[in-house]
């Protein structure tokens, strides 16, 4: 069984985490599948949006806890982060294309933070988010200590990390961790609709929107204004801007090519 199902259709690269009996926990094969999918997304112009979800009843339960060699005298968890998780998160954030995540069930540990690394997150009402690390004596990784305080504030981030309490999808929406919580039966249709909309959008513009939004976390206002100017200058030279304005003036829908 392929640990990550990957299929391109109508500009959307659909990635399904596919280890349902382990709630799609990360193992080296799943990491390899995701790394290969990222390489496709980076290299193929036909890919204009990514849509990530999980097979079965869970989204992702984080690191596969049965997969680690606990018999060694000194365990080095930093190595796995350096070689697998951190490059994945860096590539997701740097990808100049939107990544939609459809959280179909529980997202725990690195699985929760992998979801938060995506650009727009939808979740089924029955889904939940758990900073499970503390329950096994670890600290949040996969970007959690960066994303959570910025999305939810330090107090909520701290309590989630220290208690490992389960956060419902509804609260995750209320707290600003995710874009929308939708009824379970609607998750597939809603996330498909969003991904298709983005895949027919002005891809260059969407990529630069990511750069602007993520850049703002570490920039002051003056630096951010300069960044906006630079990005606007760049995107203004593209065909999609001309098409967008022409479509507006001609009172028709724009046909963006992503250039
Ligand atoms: C699992 C897992 C799992 C293996 C469920 N592994 N089998 C860590 C270390 C190294 C380097 C880098 O980073 C990290 C980061 C991390 O991600 S640490 C956090 C790791 N994840 C967890 O601690 C979560 C562990 N899982 C759970 O707490 C529960 O399974 C949750 C709350 C996610 C779901 O609970 P339930 O809905 O009650 O499902 P379940 O516990 O019955 O799980 C279903 C099956 O999936 C079960 O297998 P079985 O053969 O008994 O049916 C679990 O053993 C398996 N599974 N998570 N992470």
């Amino acid at each position: 069984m392929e640990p990550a199902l990957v299929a391109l259709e109508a500009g959307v690269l659909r990635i399904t985490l596919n280890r349902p009996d382990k709630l799609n926990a990360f193992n080296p094969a799943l990491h390899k599948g995701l790394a290969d999918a990222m390489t496709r997304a980076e290299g193929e112009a036909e890919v204009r949006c990514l849509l990530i979800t999980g097979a079965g009843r869970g989204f992702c339960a984080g690191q596969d806890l049965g997969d680690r060699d606990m018999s060694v005298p000194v365990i080095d968890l930093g190595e796995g982060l350096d070689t697998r998780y951190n490059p994945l998160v860096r590539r997701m954030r740097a990808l100049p294309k939107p990544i939609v995540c459809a959280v179909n069930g529980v997202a725990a540990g690195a699985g929760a933070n992998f979801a938060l690394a995506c650009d727009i997150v939808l979740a089924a009402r029955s889904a939940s988010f758990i900073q499970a690390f503390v329950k096994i004596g670890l600290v949040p990784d996969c970007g959690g200590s960066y994303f959570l305080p910025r999305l939810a504030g330090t107090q909520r981030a701290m309590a989630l990390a220290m208690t490992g309490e389960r956060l419902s999808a509804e609260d995750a929406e209320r707290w600003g961790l995710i874009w929308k919580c939708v009824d379970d039966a609607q998750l597939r249709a809603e996330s498909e609709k969003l991904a298709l909309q983005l895949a027919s959008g002005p891809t260059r513009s969407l990529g630069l929107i990511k750069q602007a939004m993520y850049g703002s976390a570490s920039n002051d206002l003056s630096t951010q204004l300069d960044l906006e100017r630079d990005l606007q200058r760049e995107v203004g030279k593209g065909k999609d801007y001309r098409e967008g304005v022409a479509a507006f003036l001609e009172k028709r829908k724009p046909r963006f090519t992503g250039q």
Side-chain angles (χ1 to χ4, degrees):
M1 194 159 72
E2 285 293 315
L5 305 175
V6 181
L8 175 63
E9 200 191 321
V12 178
L13 191 70
R14 291 171 182 75
I15 303 169
T16 306
L17 313 179
N18 191 37
R19 305 186 67 225
D21 53 327
K22 302 274 180 205
L23 301 182
N24 304 317
F26 288 108
N27 68 354
L30 176 53
H31 272 293
K32 167 85 168 62
L34 288 172
D36 290 348
M38 289 305 297
T39 301
R40 264 189 90 172
E42 289 159 356
E44 294 180 19
E46 299 76 32
V47 177
R48 293 174 64 186
C49 180
L50 272 60
L51 174 55
I52 301 177
T53 195
R57 72 176 177 89
F59 172 70
C60 177
Q63 170 65 38
D64 187 325
L65 297 176
D67 200 54
R68 318 241 16 135
D69 182 3
M70 303 299 277
S71 69
V72 293
V74 180
I75 296 171
D76 178 11
L77 297 183
E79 194 265 339
L81 293 176
D82 261 344
T83 56
R84 299 198 176 100
Y85 290 93
N86 291 354
L88 175 62
V89 173
R90 290 194 179 104
R91 291 174 85 181
M92 290 166 73
R93 287 286 163 134
L95 184 74
K97 300 172 184 181
I99 306 179
V100 175
C101 186
V103 181
N104 52 299
V106 66
N113 298 334
F114 170 61
L116 300 183
C118 297
D119 302 314
I120 303 184
V121 186
L122 298 171
R125 206 166 297 283
S126 67
S128 56
F129 297 81
I130 310 175
Q131 294 297 314
F133 309 88
V134 71
K135 301 203 171 183
I136 54 168
L138 294 181
V139 298
D141 62 20
C142 209
S145 62
Y146 181 93
F147 305 135
L148 279 174
R150 284 170 172 76
L151 293 169
T154 307
Q155 185 64 207
R156 283 170 163 170
M158 192 71 82
L160 287 175
M162 285 192 164
T163 64
E165 209 171 278
R166 186 188 289 261
L167 187 72
S168 70
E170 282 178 355
D171 282 342
E173 180 192 295
R174 208 171 297 129
W175 289 13
L177 254 67
I178 64 168
W179 166 231
K180 265 183 197 170
C181 161
V182 300
D183 288 340
D184 288 23
Q186 296 304 315
L187 181 69
R188 198 186 168 92
E190 290 274 337
S191 54
E192 282 282 334
K193 191 171 135 201
L194 176 61
L196 287 168
Q197 177 192 328
L198 294 172
S200 59
T203 310
R204 193 76 194 111
S205 153
L206 297 172
L208 296 188
I209 288 172
K210 277 180 75 158
Q211 207 176 312
M213 292 300 170
Y214 295 142
S216 84
S218 53
N219 285 341
D220 61 22
L221 174 61
S222 187
T223 310
Q224 192 67 15
L225 288 170
D226 285 347
L227 176 63
E228 288 178 358
R229 175 207 57 212
D230 293 345
L231 299 180
Q232 203 71 296
R233 181 172 279 150
E234 187 180 335
V235 84
K237 292 175 185 161
K239 284 189 186 157
D240 279 343
Y241 170 56
R242 288 181 190 276
E243 167 61 9
V245 174
F248 175 78
L249 296 176
E250 290 160 23
K251 299 189 187 303
R252 60 171 175 81
K253 273 185 75 173
R255 287 180 297 269
F256 292 122
T257 58
Q259 290 159 15

